[in-house]
Amino acid sequence: MQNLTLTWQASAGASAALYGAAFAVRRVRAVGAAGRRELASAVLREAGTLLALFTLWQLVGHLSLMSTDHALDRAEWIHRTELKFGLPDEVSWQRAVVPHPWLVEAANYYYATMHFGVMLVVLLWLFLRHRARYAWVRTTVVLTTAACLLIQFIPVAPPRMLPGNGFVDLAVQYGQSVYAGGPVAGVVPDQLSAMPSVHVAWCVIVAVAVIGVARSPWRWLVVLHPLVTVVVVVVTANHFWADGLVAIGILLVVYLVQQAASGWRHHALPLHTGSSPSEARQERSSAGR
């Protein structure tokens, strides 16, 4: 199961091309097509932003693998520290799943596909149906992921690389590993960036976005996504509890920073003389986005 399909160079080039296309579309002059130009330009720009984020992720994985000293030692330390603080041993959670092959395979597939799949669906839904809320969520994704990736420049091995501690690489055993076989077609697997867990950060962002934007009582079912994700990353031995806790801490800081910045822009926005109350409200609303 190959998860990464673009090198960082290819994704960077595609991102730049999308930004260029977005600029070109915006500059095209076509009578009666302003709305369609704006929409097409926005779609291209947002796609370019996501690819740029993917580029950064790939690049960090590449660079972290160039300096792997003490990655296993750091993972050992995390495991020991968790047990010292009384957190449940991830090994026992994994052993509870091992006797059920269908559960193991489902967990491996969930780990490999759902973090990207669910995030893309939610971003597309927000962009098409709730544009006013989209920018906030997109910015949250970008800032949180960037912060996680900066920390990941320090290589930390995932639990599955610690067989001496009792962990098993279930994805390899079932032929479902997204990292199997090492670099493929120039793609460097991001195997030593376990701390913090971007999987956990993204699933919480998705849940908060859906609960905050949707109005249906069914929206609360999205809470299952972070719950399942946390269990999956643990039982597949791809992350420690600590990886997820640090990711959630980073996300909370990003939310606070965004809220503070939004409030500052709201109060600092000057009102134009002669603006109607509705225009002033619209200006403040736009600034808060």
Side-chain angles (χ1 to χ4, degrees), residues 11-26 41-53 138 142:
S11 57
S15 175
L18 287 168
Y19 275 118
F23 177 78
V25 168
R26 192 179 182 88
S41 177
V43 170
L44 291 168
R45 184 179 64 250
E46 296 305 325
T49 299
L50 294 178
L51 264 179
L53 198 61
R138 185 274 320 280
V142 171

Side-chain angles (χ1 to χ4, degrees), residues 1 3 107-116 176 178 199 232:
M1 186 188 298
N3 189 35
N108 287 333
Y109 272 114
Y110 203 97
Y111 173 81
T113 62
M114 294 302 284
H115 61 301
F116 274 121
Q176 297 175 295
V178 297
H199 277 70
V232 161

Side-chain angles (χ1 to χ4, degrees), residues 109-130:
Y109 272 114
Y110 203 97
Y111 173 81
T113 62
M114 294 302 284
H115 61 301
F116 274 121
V118 175
M119 177 61 77
L120 290 175
V121 168
V122 169
L123 287 176
L124 184 62
W125 167 67
L126 289 170
F127 186 83
L128 296 177
R129 301 293 301 274
H130 303 278

Side-chain angles (χ1 to χ4, degrees), residues 22-229:
F23 177 78
V25 168
R26 192 179 182 88
R27 298 286 293 181
V28 169
R29 297 184 180 276
V31 178
R36 288 194 295 274
R37 285 204 318 273
E38 290 291 335
L39 178 60
S41 177
V43 170
L44 291 168
R45 184 179 64 250
E46 296 305 325
T49 299
L50 294 178
L51 264 179
L53 198 61
F54 182 81
T55 299
L56 182 61
W57 177 41
Q58 284 281 64
L59 183 58
V60 169
H62 178 77
L63 295 177
S64 68
L65 286 177
M66 293 172 63
S67 177
T68 60
D69 293 343
H70 306 299
L72 292 174
D73 294 336
R74 294 184 187 104
E76 292 267 11
W77 179 84
I78 290 173
H79 193 211
R80 288 196 307 270
T81 304
E82 286 184 341
L83 297 179
K84 187 180 300 184
F85 277 92
L87 291 175
D89 190 353
E90 293 91 346
V91 173
S92 63
W93 282 60
Q94 188 179 57
R95 286 175 179 166
V97 173
V98 168
H100 310 284
W102 67 271
L103 204 53
V104 172
E105 292 185 18
N108 287 333
Y109 272 114
Y110 203 97
Y111 173 81
T113 62
M114 294 302 284
H115 61 301
F116 274 121
V118 175
M119 177 61 77
L120 290 175
V121 168
V122 169
L123 287 176
L124 184 62
W125 167 67
L126 289 170
F127 186 83
L128 296 177
R129 301 293 301 274
H130 303 278
R131 187 73 61 84
R133 305 291 188 91
Y134 172 81
W136 175 278
V137 178
R138 185 274 320 280
T139 302
T140 301
V141 173
V142 171
L143 293 179
T144 303
T145 306
C148 288
L149 295 181
L150 285 175
I151 296 174
Q152 288 175 356
F153 273 109
I154 302 173
V156 178
R160 56 187 166 78
M161 291 186 177
L162 300 177
N165 292 41
F167 293 103
V168 179
D169 194 335
L170 295 178
V172 167
Q173 280 194 357
Y174 282 77
Q176 297 175 295
S177 176
V178 297
Y179 309 110
V184 177
V187 177
V188 180
D190 187 12
Q191 297 198 59
L192 298 180
S193 299
M195 168 64 79
S197 172
V198 175
H199 277 70
V200 172
W202 278 20
C203 70
V204 175
I205 292 172
V206 163
V208 171
V210 172
I211 292 172
V213 174
R215 290 295 173 260
S216 168
W218 294 101
R219 71 187 187 278
W220 292 100
L221 289 176
V222 76
V223 173
L224 293 174
H225 180 48
L227 293 178
V228 172
T229 298

